[in-house]
mmCIF file of all heavy atoms in Angstrom:
data_model
loop_
_atom_site.group_PDB
_atom_site.id
_atom_site.type_symbol
_atom_site.label_atom_id
_atom_site.label_comp_id
_atom_site.label_asym_id
_atom_site.label_seq_id
_atom_site.Cartn_x
_atom_site.Cartn_y
_atom_site.Cartn_z
ATOM 1 N N PRO A 220 24.335 53.725 -4.394
ATOM 2 C CA PRO A 220 24.811 54.633 -3.238
ATOM 3 C C PRO A 220 23.636 55.259 -2.508
ATOM 4 O O PRO A 220 23.793 55.830 -1.421
ATOM 5 C CB PRO A 220 25.735 55.706 -3.953
ATOM 6 C CG PRO A 220 25.579 55.677 -5.335
ATOM 7 C CD PRO A 220 25.035 54.198 -5.788
ATOM 8 N N MET A 221 22.365 55.423 -3.185
ATOM 9 C CA MET A 221 21.349 56.042 -2.499
ATOM 10 C C MET A 221 20.652 55.205 -1.515
ATOM 11 O O MET A 221 19.896 55.716 -0.623
ATOM 12 C CB MET A 221 20.329 56.402 -3.602
ATOM 13 C CG MET A 221 19.665 55.384 -4.395
ATOM 14 S SD MET A 221 20.809 54.734 -5.575
ATOM 15 C CE MET A 221 19.750 53.912 -6.811
ATOM 16 N N VAL A 222 20.974 53.892 -1.481
ATOM 17 C CA VAL A 222 20.415 52.962 -0.491
ATOM 18 C C VAL A 222 21.261 52.732 0.760
ATOM 19 O O VAL A 222 22.426 52.880 0.464
ATOM 20 C CB VAL A 222 20.068 51.580 -1.098
ATOM 21 C CG1 VAL A 222 19.304 50.692 -0.351
ATOM 22 C CG2 VAL A 222 19.509 51.779 -2.459
ATOM 23 N N ASP A 223 20.735 52.473 1.810
ATOM 24 C CA ASP A 223 21.531 52.119 3.258
ATOM 25 C C ASP A 223 22.579 51.079 2.725
ATOM 26 O O ASP A 223 22.380 50.138 1.962
ATOM 27 C CB ASP A 223 20.635 51.629 4.277
ATOM 28 C CG ASP A 223 21.342 51.602 5.540
ATOM 29 O OD1 ASP A 223 22.033 50.595 5.696
ATOM 30 O OD2 ASP A 223 21.224 52.463 6.303
ATOM 31 N N ALA A 224 23.767 51.305 3.208
ATOM 32 C CA ALA A 224 24.937 50.411 2.795
ATOM 33 C C ALA A 224 24.686 48.947 3.121
ATOM 34 O O ALA A 224 25.018 48.097 2.363
ATOM 35 C CB ALA A 224 26.203 50.893 3.480
ATOM 36 N N VAL A 368 12.288 54.555 2.091
ATOM 37 C CA VAL A 368 11.759 55.916 2.172
ATOM 38 C C VAL A 368 12.667 56.585 3.368
ATOM 39 O O VAL A 368 12.972 55.943 4.265
ATOM 40 C CB VAL A 368 10.350 55.839 2.510
ATOM 41 C CG1 VAL A 368 9.926 55.261 3.830
ATOM 42 C CG2 VAL A 368 9.695 57.299 2.378
ATOM 43 N N GLY A 369 12.879 57.857 3.153
ATOM 44 C CA GLY A 369 13.643 58.679 4.099
ATOM 45 C C GLY A 369 15.090 58.250 4.108
ATOM 46 O O GLY A 369 15.674 57.749 3.055
ATOM 47 N N MET A 370 15.736 58.682 5.155
ATOM 48 C CA MET A 370 17.234 58.667 5.173
ATOM 49 C C MET A 370 17.802 57.124 5.496
ATOM 50 O O MET A 370 17.301 56.345 6.165
ATOM 51 C CB MET A 370 17.787 59.536 6.251
ATOM 52 C CG MET A 370 17.603 61.046 5.864
ATOM 53 S SD MET A 370 18.292 62.136 7.085
ATOM 54 C CE MET A 370 16.874 62.541 7.995
ATOM 55 N N SER A 371 18.965 56.971 4.830
ATOM 56 C CA SER A 371 19.792 55.781 5.137
ATOM 57 C C SER A 371 20.611 56.117 6.449
ATOM 58 O O SER A 371 20.545 57.314 6.897
ATOM 59 C CB SER A 371 20.734 55.489 4.057
ATOM 60 O OG SER A 371 21.696 56.554 3.989
ATOM 61 N N GLU A 372 21.166 55.115 7.052
ATOM 62 C CA GLU A 372 22.063 55.440 8.210
ATOM 63 C C GLU A 372 23.080 56.397 7.964
ATOM 64 O O GLU A 372 23.395 57.426 8.621
ATOM 65 C CB GLU A 372 22.547 54.150 8.783
ATOM 66 C CG GLU A 372 23.382 54.366 10.150
ATOM 67 C CD GLU A 372 23.983 53.016 10.726
ATOM 68 O OE1 GLU A 372 23.530 51.869 10.211
ATOM 69 O OE2 GLU A 372 24.742 53.116 11.557
ATOM 70 N N GLU A 373 23.758 56.327 6.776
ATOM 71 C CA GLU A 373 24.809 57.171 6.316
ATOM 72 C C GLU A 373 24.301 58.576 6.194
ATOM 73 O O GLU A 373 24.896 59.478 6.716
ATOM 74 C CB GLU A 373 25.474 56.578 5.133
ATOM 75 C CG GLU A 373 26.107 55.213 5.156
ATOM 76 C CD GLU A 373 25.092 54.099 5.074
ATOM 77 O OE1 GLU A 373 24.034 54.286 4.461
ATOM 78 O OE2 GLU A 373 25.328 52.918 5.620
ATOM 79 N N GLN A 374 23.235 58.737 5.468
ATOM 80 C CA GLN A 374 22.656 60.057 5.190
ATOM 81 C C GLN A 374 22.231 60.669 6.609
ATOM 82 O O GLN A 374 22.387 61.847 6.637
ATOM 83 C CB GLN A 374 21.394 59.928 4.278
ATOM 84 C CG GLN A 374 21.821 59.598 2.741
ATOM 85 C CD GLN A 374 20.603 58.971 2.062
ATOM 86 O OE1 GLN A 374 19.597 58.680 2.570
ATOM 87 N NE2 GLN A 374 20.782 58.934 0.828
ATOM 88 N N ALA A 375 21.589 60.024 7.560
ATOM 89 C CA ALA A 375 21.124 60.551 8.708
ATOM 90 C C ALA A 375 22.295 61.039 9.550
ATOM 91 O O ALA A 375 22.365 62.130 10.069
ATOM 92 C CB ALA A 375 20.293 59.544 9.486
ATOM 93 N N LYS A 376 23.360 60.293 9.595
ATOM 94 C CA LYS A 376 24.523 60.752 10.304
ATOM 95 C C LYS A 376 25.097 61.900 9.653
ATOM 96 O O LYS A 376 25.548 62.868 10.440
ATOM 97 C CB LYS A 376 25.533 59.504 10.317
ATOM 98 C CG LYS A 376 25.151 58.440 11.403
ATOM 99 C CD LYS A 376 26.318 57.382 11.388
ATOM 100 C CE LYS A 376 25.879 56.422 12.444
ATOM 101 N NZ LYS A 376 26.694 55.139 12.308
ATOM 102 N N ALA A 377 25.272 61.996 8.386
ATOM 103 C CA ALA A 377 25.786 63.104 7.648
ATOM 104 C C ALA A 377 24.953 64.324 7.864
ATOM 105 O O ALA A 377 25.493 65.454 7.847
ATOM 106 C CB ALA A 377 25.897 62.731 6.180
ATOM 107 N N ALA A 378 23.619 64.228 8.093
ATOM 108 C CA ALA A 378 22.711 65.241 8.438
ATOM 109 C C ALA A 378 22.815 65.740 9.878
ATOM 110 O O ALA A 378 22.027 66.693 10.122
ATOM 111 C CB ALA A 378 21.363 64.923 7.970
ATOM 112 N N GLY A 379 23.633 65.034 10.606
ATOM 113 C CA GLY A 379 23.854 65.424 11.943
ATOM 114 C C GLY A 379 22.900 64.789 13.020
ATOM 115 O O GLY A 379 22.947 65.146 14.243
ATOM 116 N N TYR A 380 22.273 63.740 12.532
ATOM 117 C CA TYR A 380 21.415 63.077 13.650
ATOM 118 C C TYR A 380 22.250 62.080 14.530
ATOM 119 O O TYR A 380 23.133 61.402 13.937
ATOM 120 C CB TYR A 380 20.237 62.310 12.915
ATOM 121 C CG TYR A 380 19.178 63.228 12.385
ATOM 122 C CD1 TYR A 380 19.208 63.461 11.160
ATOM 123 C CD2 TYR A 380 18.106 63.540 13.217
ATOM 124 C CE1 TYR A 380 18.066 64.307 10.456
ATOM 125 C CE2 TYR A 380 17.092 64.309 12.715
ATOM 126 C CZ TYR A 380 17.132 64.825 11.348
ATOM 127 O OH TYR A 380 16.140 65.574 10.801
ATOM 128 N N GLU A 381 21.920 61.997 15.759
ATOM 129 C CA GLU A 381 22.423 60.855 16.522
ATOM 130 C C GLU A 381 21.378 59.741 16.237
ATOM 131 O O GLU A 381 20.231 59.888 16.592
ATOM 132 C CB GLU A 381 22.439 61.050 18.036
ATOM 133 C CG GLU A 381 23.138 60.121 18.746
ATOM 134 C CD GLU A 381 23.084 60.443 20.333
ATOM 135 O OE1 GLU A 381 22.803 61.636 20.749
ATOM 136 O OE2 GLU A 381 23.375 59.415 20.974
ATOM 137 N N VAL A 382 21.788 58.657 15.594
ATOM 138 C CA VAL A 382 20.886 57.618 15.235
ATOM 139 C C VAL A 382 21.021 56.356 16.020
ATOM 140 O O VAL A 382 21.957 56.040 16.580
ATOM 141 C CB VAL A 382 20.955 57.229 13.774
ATOM 142 C CG1 VAL A 382 20.747 58.473 12.805
ATOM 143 C CG2 VAL A 382 22.317 56.610 13.358
ATOM 144 N N LYS A 383 19.746 55.651 16.009
ATOM 145 C CA LYS A 383 19.812 54.258 16.497
ATOM 146 C C LYS A 383 19.207 53.350 15.433
ATOM 147 O O LYS A 383 18.168 53.974 14.726
ATOM 148 C CB LYS A 383 18.974 54.169 17.893
ATOM 149 C CG LYS A 383 17.596 54.857 17.899
ATOM 150 C CD LYS A 383 16.817 54.592 19.239
ATOM 151 C CE LYS A 383 15.480 55.264 19.154
ATOM 152 N NZ LYS A 383 14.632 54.936 20.418
ATOM 153 N N VAL A 384 19.651 52.239 15.125
ATOM 154 C CA VAL A 384 19.125 51.533 14.150
ATOM 155 C C VAL A 384 18.710 50.103 14.562
ATOM 156 O O VAL A 384 19.188 49.597 15.651
ATOM 157 C CB VAL A 384 20.280 51.367 12.997
ATOM 158 C CG1 VAL A 384 20.662 52.647 12.405
ATOM 159 C CG2 VAL A 384 21.454 50.618 13.448
ATOM 160 N N LYS A 406 15.560 47.388 7.702
ATOM 161 C CA LYS A 406 16.371 48.185 8.610
ATOM 162 C C LYS A 406 15.622 49.501 8.889
ATOM 163 O O LYS A 406 15.336 50.296 8.036
ATOM 164 C CB LYS A 406 17.774 48.441 7.988
ATOM 165 C CG LYS A 406 18.614 49.230 8.851
ATOM 166 C CD LYS A 406 20.062 49.239 8.317
ATOM 167 C CE LYS A 406 20.955 50.311 9.051
ATOM 168 N NZ LYS A 406 22.299 50.331 8.580
ATOM 169 N N PHE A 407 15.460 49.851 10.226
ATOM 170 C CA PHE A 407 14.999 51.130 10.587
ATOM 171 C C PHE A 407 16.075 52.044 10.981
ATOM 172 O O PHE A 407 17.148 51.528 11.722
ATOM 173 C CB PHE A 407 14.084 50.921 11.948
ATOM 174 C CG PHE A 407 12.659 50.701 11.539
ATOM 175 C CD1 PHE A 407 12.224 49.647 10.843
ATOM 176 C CD2 PHE A 407 11.721 51.787 12.004
ATOM 177 C CE1 PHE A 407 10.887 49.459 10.703
ATOM 178 C CE2 PHE A 407 10.400 51.540 11.719
ATOM 179 C CZ PHE A 407 9.949 50.393 10.994
ATOM 180 N N ILE A 408 15.903 53.332 10.612
ATOM 181 C CA ILE A 408 16.932 54.368 11.184
ATOM 182 C C ILE A 408 16.125 55.313 11.890
ATOM 183 O O ILE A 408 15.109 55.959 11.353
ATOM 184 C CB ILE A 408 17.689 54.995 9.842
ATOM 185 C CG1 ILE A 408 18.415 53.879 9.026
ATOM 186 C CG2 ILE A 408 18.567 56.050 10.411
ATOM 187 C CD1 ILE A 408 17.672 53.266 7.958
ATOM 188 N N SER A 409 16.368 55.405 13.138
ATOM 189 C CA SER A 409 15.560 56.426 14.049
ATOM 190 C C SER A 409 16.457 57.353 14.813
ATOM 191 O O SER A 409 17.609 57.205 15.008
ATOM 192 C CB SER A 409 14.798 55.546 15.091
ATOM 193 O OG SER A 409 14.028 54.488 14.441
ATOM 194 N N ASP A 410 15.807 58.425 15.180
ATOM 195 C CA ASP A 410 16.466 59.542 15.838
ATOM 196 C C ASP A 410 16.470 59.281 17.371
ATOM 197 O O ASP A 410 15.417 59.046 18.027
ATOM 198 C CB ASP A 410 15.632 60.866 15.560
ATOM 199 C CG ASP A 410 16.349 62.075 16.144
ATOM 200 O OD1 ASP A 410 17.431 61.974 16.714
ATOM 201 O OD2 ASP A 410 15.667 63.219 16.168
ATOM 202 N N VAL A 411 17.733 59.224 18.011
ATOM 203 C CA VAL A 411 17.869 58.900 19.460
ATOM 204 C C VAL A 411 17.132 60.077 20.251
ATOM 205 O O VAL A 411 16.310 59.667 21.146
ATOM 206 C CB VAL A 411 19.375 58.980 19.721
ATOM 207 C CG1 VAL A 411 19.497 58.956 21.240
ATOM 208 C CG2 VAL A 411 20.084 57.856 19.148
ATOM 209 N N ARG A 415 11.817 59.511 16.530
ATOM 210 C CA ARG A 415 11.124 59.729 15.198
ATOM 211 C C ARG A 415 11.780 58.695 14.245
ATOM 212 O O ARG A 415 13.074 58.415 14.277
ATOM 213 C CB ARG A 415 11.243 60.983 14.665
ATOM 214 C CG ARG A 415 10.224 62.040 15.298
ATOM 215 C CD ARG A 415 8.944 62.123 14.615
ATOM 216 N NE ARG A 415 9.147 62.599 13.107
ATOM 217 C CZ ARG A 415 9.216 63.963 12.705
ATOM 218 N NH1 ARG A 415 9.010 64.814 13.735
ATOM 219 N NH2 ARG A 415 9.324 64.189 11.464
ATOM 220 N N VAL A 416 10.869 58.080 13.417
ATOM 221 C CA VAL A 416 11.517 57.130 12.341
ATOM 222 C C VAL A 416 12.039 58.087 11.253
ATOM 223 O O VAL A 416 11.341 58.925 10.863
ATOM 224 C CB VAL A 416 10.416 56.165 11.724
ATOM 225 C CG1 VAL A 416 11.055 55.390 10.580
ATOM 226 C CG2 VAL A 416 9.776 55.552 12.865
ATOM 227 N N LEU A 417 13.283 57.974 10.974
ATOM 228 C CA LEU A 417 14.031 58.915 9.927
ATOM 229 C C LEU A 417 13.988 58.160 8.465
ATOM 230 O O LEU A 417 14.022 58.813 7.648
ATOM 231 C CB LEU A 417 15.435 59.279 10.434
ATOM 232 C CG LEU A 417 15.589 59.982 11.653
ATOM 233 C CD1 LEU A 417 17.162 60.015 12.027
ATOM 234 C CD2 LEU A 417 14.969 61.377 11.457
ATOM 235 N N GLY A 418 14.040 56.804 8.615
ATOM 236 C CA GLY A 418 13.932 56.234 7.313
ATOM 237 C C GLY A 418 13.911 54.679 7.557
ATOM 238 O O GLY A 418 14.103 54.192 8.689
ATOM 239 N N VAL A 419 13.349 54.004 6.610
ATOM 240 C CA VAL A 419 13.253 52.489 6.514
ATOM 241 C C VAL A 419 13.798 52.049 5.349
ATOM 242 O O VAL A 419 13.370 52.445 4.179
ATOM 243 C CB VAL A 419 11.869 52.072 6.722
ATOM 244 C CG1 VAL A 419 11.916 50.502 6.900
ATOM 245 C CG2 VAL A 419 11.193 52.536 7.962
ATOM 246 N N HIS A 420 14.822 51.180 5.231
ATOM 247 C CA HIS A 420 15.331 50.684 3.910
ATOM 248 C C HIS A 420 15.373 49.140 4.048
ATOM 249 O O HIS A 420 15.744 48.643 5.105
ATOM 250 C CB HIS A 420 16.981 51.086 3.763
ATOM 251 C CG HIS A 420 17.052 52.671 3.531
ATOM 252 N ND1 HIS A 420 17.793 53.080 2.530
ATOM 253 C CD2 HIS A 420 16.383 53.735 4.055
ATOM 254 C CE1 HIS A 420 17.738 54.391 2.438
ATOM 255 N NE2 HIS A 420 16.848 54.914 3.355
#
Side-chain angles (χ1 to χ4, degrees):
M221 60 288 203
V222 189
D223 192 277
V368 61
M370 287 183 265
S371 64
E372 183 176 348
E373 300 77 30
Q374 289 162 347
K376 282 180 176 163
Y380 285 98
E381 190 186 342
V382 300
K383 47 180 185 172
V384 300
K406 176 170 173 179
F407 266 69
I408 298 98
S409 302
D410 182 10
V411 168
R415 283 267 298 271
V416 180
L417 298 173
V419 186
H420 288 229

